[in-house]
Amino acid sequence: MSNEIQSYVQKQTTVKAALTKAQGAILSALPKHLDPERMFRVYLTACNTSPGILDCEPISIVGAVMRAAAFGLSLETVTGEAFIIPRRNKNLGGRHAANFQIGYKGLRKLALQGDTELRDVFAYAVYENDMFDFALGMEPSIRVHKATPGGARGKLVQAYAVAVWKDGYRRFEVIDSSVIMLAKRYAGGTEKPDSPWNTNEEAMWRKT
């Protein structure tokens, strides 16, 4: 076994041991409607399949998982509900710390759980070549949003979110690139290649 593989396996073992030791606290933080054993397996898999997370201080990984559990969110990449983002931490002497981050779909899930009268909430990104027009005032409305076909949409310029309640009431919010860039500036770690701002920029615009 090469030194690199041996080091990787050792990191996996260390992280698994830290999470297993905290398993009781993690499971008790989960909302009652979730299957605790399944969710713990999801958390173990998420933490042990990413080299970036394995480089983080184990206590920070446990903390990030605890936050995911408290919100009742999955860390599976395919669901997009929440993520663990490794970042260097000066308080740890430059070593990596695991940071919990809610994704767009996680925010949507929490919104629907928090307001039983809410029927749906969704967000879209707008590209420079899209047909997009909205009006504010006494009767605000999104008049049209038609994406340019064929992959020629250009660069991202705006994003908007819409909430729809069961009684038919709707509300929307449109933000432009200056607001998005401000959010990105304060997000931290966005210079890293594996940052969601670089791997899935549209999702981050929709989340913002």
Side-chain angles (χ1 to χ4, degrees), residues 85-143:
I85 309 298
R87 294 186 186 131
R88 290 192 182 277
N89 190 313
K90 63 181 180 181
N91 295 324
L92 295 174
R95 298 190 299 276
H96 285 87
N99 294 267
F100 172 73
Q101 183 168 300
I102 299 179
Y104 155 63
K105 292 182 180 178
L107 291 175
R108 179 181 183 274
K109 180 178 179 178
L110 294 176
L112 292 171
Q113 290 176 348
D115 186 347
T116 58
E117 293 302 309
L118 191 63
R119 191 176 75 196
D120 200 4
V121 57
F122 51 90
Y124 292 103
V126 181
Y127 291 77
E128 62 180 341
N129 294 330
D130 290 356
M131 184 185 298
F132 180 66
D133 185 39
F134 68 99
L136 300 177
M138 295 292 290
E139 296 184 6
S141 67
I142 295 177
R143 294 167 174 162

